[in-house]
């Protein structure tokens, strides 16, 4: 799988192109959303007569309506994109890197290292995510770094397990045996032979990890354990839930909910063609 | 069943449980400041009485001693006393545990039934319009947060149509004489529909995709060509040979799916005010009732670990290859 076949695969798949487009839009908003937003995230908007614009439905002035305190939901969403993408990015890269490294060690060194790491993987699988993350965030204090930490502590398990199994399979293959007979050192074999063949597996996990991380950040913010210094999409949903939006202001909930769904779905769409590259049996027809 | 395999899994289960309760102990000790601040009722301000409670709870002991005492108490089924309600933590958490179990079991049955059926259907319709739309829709559902799906269902079926209740487990004026009647009453079941639907919609996508992929693998395998050559009709090929063989990985992965679903149950319980373990943790944390939070965390962890254990044994019983290797 090289760069050209990746580009080609995305170009041929309309959904993957759509996913790429949505993702680029959100990345753009993450960088410039704050400047583009017509109002501040917590600004109370008044009309010309000085009346607070409470629970206004979608209009040209307020594309996604206003909240029960007269805040502009559209502006909140623009401001809220950055924290979501920051957590999504780092909480995808960090656990994937850690998991890949530990998977390589477990699969190649085996013996005690494998026992230890495999046990840890199993324990990470059986720790219920949200209860664990809530307690950890409460104890350490909720912030963007602690959110990333809480997600990373759990989410390294899958790449670790997949990479370990892949390395185990590879170690049995004849070219690795040949390299060993030829006198190659452990680090040479791992870095030059194993890593290039396991890296695609790790890389394909990153988008899924990003999706997981965005969902996790939203859920934790919704539960009231998000970064208190920023308004993320999950925080908006929390305020809407508490503010009775389900009965009197659907727009206030639907807009941020759709943003989360769109951001996560976009990476799923984007990676769909690779599912077929990796597993040709899934090809249509 | 192979006894050495069973013994090894049991040993692992015990180790995992020990790690879980150790994490639960030290997690709360990570809090900055005096441990007394979170183990003693914050409303108790009189210094002399605080000192007395510190002594009684053994908070002046070294950390290791406290940890051993905690383990000893746990073995006797003692998780401490709630500050807020003065009830034993086991009593509070035990009640929420039953409520969470009901949700988990019903959700899992619904999610797996729907997931397997639809996944097999998609595999048999590979490339058709229904499969392409359905497959795309499945990705969108998988990308939607569970709490958002719950909110949408509430807005539609409770706020707009008024068909179903959206909060709690029973109506305020409702009471039943025994436990069985409580969990089978029409009132309870109507409260169960929306939370279960929310959880199942989220949880059915992973088994659905796995089922579709393994079905495609199975349908293209050599033995299927043989079955076809024998003249077995398509429908029978699909269900007697295809579905049966494709179910294996679903059993093997079942534990992970449940673990994942239980890990995400907190948001669903909060949205529907379902009095389960997840909501208990959030409430306990927000009211600084730490021992209840710790107890609920332990219970929910034990639930996941026991489910893993059973699912592993089940998978091994069905597929002898899993018993021999330590790889999974």
């Amino acid at each position: 799988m090289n760069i050209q076949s990746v580009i080609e695969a995305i170009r041929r798949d309309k959904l993957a192109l759509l996913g790429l487009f949505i993702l680029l839009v959100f990345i753009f908003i993450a960088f410039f959303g704050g400047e583009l937003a017509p109002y501040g995230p917590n600004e109370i908007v008044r009309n010309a007569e000085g009346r607070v614009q409470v629970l206004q439905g979608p209009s040209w002035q307020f594309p996604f309506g206003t909240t029960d305190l007269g805040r502009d939901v559209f502006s909140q969403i623009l401001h809220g994109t950055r924290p979501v993408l920051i957590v999504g990015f780092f909480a995808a890269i960090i656990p994937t890197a850690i998991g890949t490294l530990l998977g390589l060690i477990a699969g190649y060194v085996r013996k005690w290292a494998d026992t230890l790491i495999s046990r840890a993987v199993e324990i990470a699988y059986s720790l219920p995510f949200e209860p664990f993350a809530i307690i950890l965030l409460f104890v350490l204090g909720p912030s963007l770094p602690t959110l990333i930490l809480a997600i990373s502590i759990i989410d390294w398990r899958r790449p670790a397990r997949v990479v370990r199994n892949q390395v185990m399979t590879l170690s049995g293959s004849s070219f690795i045996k040949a390299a060993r007979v030829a006198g190659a050192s452990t680090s040479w074999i791992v870095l030059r032979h194993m890593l290039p063949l396991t890296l695609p597996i790790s890389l394909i996990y990153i988008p899924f990890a990003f999706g997981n991380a965005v969902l996790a950040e939203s859920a934790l913010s919704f539960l009231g354990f998000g970064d208190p210094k920023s308004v993320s999409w999950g925080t908006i949903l929390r305020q809407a839930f508490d503010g009775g939006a389900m009965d009197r202001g659907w727009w206030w909930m639907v807009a941020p909910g759709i943003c989360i769904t769109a951001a996560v779905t976009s990476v799923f769409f984007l990676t769909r063609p690779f599912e077929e590259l990796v597993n040709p049996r899934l090809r249509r027809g | 069943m192979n006894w050495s395999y069973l013994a090894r899994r049991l040993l692992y289960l015990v180790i995992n449980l020990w790690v879980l309760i150790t994490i639960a102990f030290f997690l709360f000790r990570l809090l900055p400041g005096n441990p007394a601040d979170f183990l003693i009722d914050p409303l108790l301000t009189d210094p002399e009485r605080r000192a007395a409670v510190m002594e009684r709870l053994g908070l002046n002991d070294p950390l290791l001693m406290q940890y051993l005492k905690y383990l000893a108490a746990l073995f006797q089924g003692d998780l401490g006393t709630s500050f807020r309600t003065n009830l034993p933590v086991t009593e509070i958490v035990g009640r929420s545990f039953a409520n969470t179990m009901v949700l988990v079991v019903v959700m899992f049955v619904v999610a797996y039934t729907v997931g397997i059926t639809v996944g097999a259907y998609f595999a048999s319709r590979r490339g058709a319009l229904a499969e392409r739309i359905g497959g795309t829709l499945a990705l969108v559902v998988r990308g939607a947060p569970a709490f958002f799906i719950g909110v949408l269902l509430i807005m539609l079926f409770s706020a707009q149509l008024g068909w179903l209740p959206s909060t709690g487990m029973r109506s305020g004026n409702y009471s039943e004489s025994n436990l069985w009647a409580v969990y089978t009453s029409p009132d309870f079941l109507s409260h169960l529909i929306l939370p279960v639907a929310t959880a199942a919609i989220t949880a059915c996508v992973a088994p659905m995709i796995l089922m579709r992929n393994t079905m495609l693998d199975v349908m293209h395998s050599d033995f299927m060509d043989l079955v076809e050559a024998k003249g077995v009709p398509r429908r029978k090929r699909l269900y007697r040979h295809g579905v049966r063989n494709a179910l294996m990985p679903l059993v093997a992965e079942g534990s992970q799916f449940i673990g994942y679903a239980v890990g995400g149950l907190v948001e669903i319980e909060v949205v529907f005010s379902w009095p389960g373990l997840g909501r208990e943790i959030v409430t306990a944390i927000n009211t600084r009732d730490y021992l209840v939070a710790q107890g609920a965390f332990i219970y929910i962890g034990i639930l996941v670990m026991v489910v893993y254990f059973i699912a592993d044994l089940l998978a091994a019983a069905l597929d002898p290859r899993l018993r021999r290797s330590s790889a999974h």
Side-chain angles (χ1 to χ4, degrees):
Chain A
M1 196 160 59
N2 53 26
I3 299 291
Q4 253 170 352
S5 67
V6 168
I7 295 171
E8 185 56 25
I10 294 175
R11 235 166 46 87
R12 256 185 293 141
D13 192 320
K14 284 200 191 80
L15 271 184
L17 277 176
L18 177 68
L20 184 65
F21 174 72
I22 295 173
L23 196 60
L24 288 176
V25 169
F26 279 130
I27 291 173
F28 178 79
I29 294 174
F31 277 105
F32 305 108
E35 282 91 80
L36 293 174
Y39 305 99
N42 292 319
E43 185 179 337
I44 289 165
V45 184
R46 292 165 194 276
N47 65 5
E49 291 103 66
R51 278 171 53 117
V52 177
Q53 299 292 82
V54 174
L55 286 174
Q56 301 286 311
S59 62
W60 280 113
Q61 195 193 352
F62 311 112
F64 299 152
T66 63
T67 76
D68 63 340
L69 296 174
R71 290 167 181 157
D72 176 34
V73 178
F74 179 67
S75 299
Q76 288 192 316
I77 284 178
L78 291 185
H79 285 283
T81 309
R82 191 180 298 175
V84 175
L85 260 61
I86 288 176
V87 173
F89 179 78
F90 286 103
I93 302 287
I94 294 172
T96 307
I98 294 173
T100 306
L101 188 68
L102 291 177
L104 276 172
I105 295 171
Y108 195 77
V109 180
R110 304 202 183 191
K111 302 195 187 90
W112 59 269
D114 183 34
T115 311
L116 206 68
I117 292 169
S118 291
R119 251 31 348 267
V121 166
E122 195 170 301
I123 288 162
Y125 263 110
S126 45
L127 280 181
F129 173 69
E130 283 178 6
F132 175 77
I134 287 169
I135 296 175
L136 192 71
L137 286 169
F138 171 72
V139 167
L140 298 178
S143 68
L144 292 184
T146 49
L147 275 165
I148 294 166
L149 177 75
I151 297 166
S152 303
I153 288 182
I154 299 283
D155 218 23
W156 62 278
R157 59 196 184 180
R158 189 166 168 78
R161 178 175 280 183
V162 175
V163 166
R164 169 198 174 271
N165 291 347
Q166 165 80 352
V167 171
M168 287 249 172
T169 315
L170 282 177
S171 333
S173 59
S174 44
F175 81 98
I176 295 290
K177 284 180 190 153
R180 210 173 293 142
V181 172
S185 68
T186 301
S187 57
W188 178 267
I189 292 177
V190 170
L191 291 177
R192 290 303 297 266
H193 297 300
M194 300 273 189
L195 197 59
L197 285 168
T198 44
L199 213 53
I201 296 177
S202 305
L203 290 178
I204 202 129
Y205 182 69
I206 291 179
F208 290 101
F210 173 84
N212 281 347
V214 169
L215 286 175
E217 193 278 336
S218 306
L220 293 169
S221 299
F222 176 74
L223 291 171
F225 297 88
D227 175 26
K229 287 202 274 310
S230 52
V231 176
S232 88
W233 299 338
T235 322
I236 305 173
L237 277 157
R238 175 75 217 191
Q239 290 165 354
F241 186 75
D242 289 341
M246 288 190 292
D247 296 314
R248 54 191 188 134
W250 57 269
W251 55 85
W252 187 8
M253 301 218 78
V254 169
I258 287 179
C259 282
I260 299 168
T261 311
V264 180
T265 311
S266 71
V267 289
F268 290 163
F269 283 169
L270 187 57
T271 41
R272 212 183 49 144
F274 305 110
E275 183 199 50
E276 289 171 19
L277 272 185
V278 175
N279 187 353
R281 270 197 186 139
L282 296 175
R283 256 174 223 159
R284 272 145 232 287
Chain B
M1 177 58 55
N2 178 330
W3 289 111
S4 77
Y5 177 80
L6 184 65
R8 197 172 64 219
R9 295 309 317 175
L10 257 177
L11 176 71
Y12 287 168
L13 176 65
V14 172
I15 295 176
N16 291 356
L17 289 174
W18 170 69
V19 173
L20 173 79
I21 55 184
T22 305
I23 290 176
F25 176 82
F26 286 103
L27 210 48
F28 282 102
R29 266 75 182 171
L30 285 175
L31 268 175
N34 189 340
D37 295 344
F38 62 92
L39 286 171
I40 301 180
D41 191 337
L43 297 176
L44 188 67
T45 45
D46 177 34
E48 238 166 75
R49 285 180 59 203
R50 275 188 85 91
V53 177
M54 287 271 291
E55 193 56 44
R56 187 163 55 78
L57 291 174
L59 290 174
N60 298 323
D61 297 343
L63 198 60
L64 183 67
M65 196 62 209
Q66 291 183 37
Y67 173 62
L68 293 176
K69 279 186 178 167
Y70 158 84
L71 285 185
L74 210 60
F75 270 110
Q76 292 160 355
D78 178 11
L79 285 166
T81 308
S82 154
F83 311 141
R84 193 161 41 110
T85 56
N86 243 337
L87 291 168
V89 170
T90 42
E91 197 182 314
I92 300 172
V93 173
R95 217 179 303 134
S96 340
F97 181 77
N99 298 335
T100 291
M101 271 309 283
V102 174
L103 205 56
V104 169
V105 171
V106 180
M107 171 269 283
F108 190 68
V109 171
V110 174
Y112 250 56
T113 313
V114 173
I116 288 171
T117 317
V118 178
Y121 173 77
F122 281 171
S124 73
R125 289 267 176 280
R126 183 68 184 148
L129 188 68
E131 193 259 350
R132 270 184 291 173
I133 293 173
T136 309
L137 201 65
L139 288 182
V140 176
V141 169
R142 199 174 160 207
F147 67 86
F148 181 56
I149 293 177
V151 159
L152 289 180
L153 292 182
I154 291 177
M155 287 203 281
L156 181 60
F157 292 104
S158 299
Q160 285 297 317
L161 298 169
W163 288 354
L164 290 166
S166 66
T167 56
M169 279 197 339
R170 52 187 65 98
S171 311
N173 54 1
Y174 196 87
S175 71
E176 281 288 349
S177 49
N178 66 56
L179 207 64
W180 176 252
V182 167
Y183 284 123
T184 52
S185 69
D187 180 62
F188 173 77
L189 294 177
S190 72
H191 282 80
L192 189 63
I193 293 176
L194 285 184
V196 162
T198 305
I201 287 172
T202 323
C204 78
V205 178
M208 185 192 297
I209 291 173
L210 183 63
M211 182 68 192
R212 185 203 61 165
N213 291 355
T214 41
M215 263 299 267
L216 286 174
D217 272 353
V218 170
M219 296 308 280
H220 287 94
S221 61
D222 293 344
F223 85 89
M224 279 312 246
D225 294 341
L226 183 71
V227 172
E228 191 176 354
K230 279 201 315 199
V232 178
R234 179 183 147 81
R235 182 167 278 276
K236 203 171 164 191
R237 281 205 312 272
L238 210 60
Y239 292 101
R240 278 290 294 282
H241 300 276
V243 171
R244 267 170 122 188
N245 281 294
L247 284 179
M248 252 326 294
L250 274 134
V251 179
E253 299 279 311
S255 57
Q256 280 179 34
F257 293 156
I258 297 189
Y260 191 73
V262 172
L265 223 49
V266 180
E267 52 189 277
I268 294 174
E269 289 184 355
V270 166
V271 166
F272 291 99
S273 307
W274 188 264
L277 287 171
R279 202 176 74 115
E280 196 71 63
I281 290 183
V282 175
T283 318
I285 290 272
N286 287 335
T287 55
R288 308 292 185 263
D289 202 351
Y290 302 105
L291 290 177
V292 173
Q294 179 181 281
F297 176 70
I298 291 174
Y299 267 53
I300 215 168
I302 291 176
L303 170 65
V304 176
M305 286 183 180
V306 170
V307 164
Y308 267 48
F309 177 71
I310 295 170
D312 277 351
L313 291 191
L314 205 63
L318 288 172
D319 188 348
R321 279 171 300 182
L322 288 173
R323 263 175 267 160
R324 259 178 261 125
S325 69
S326 59
H328 24 242

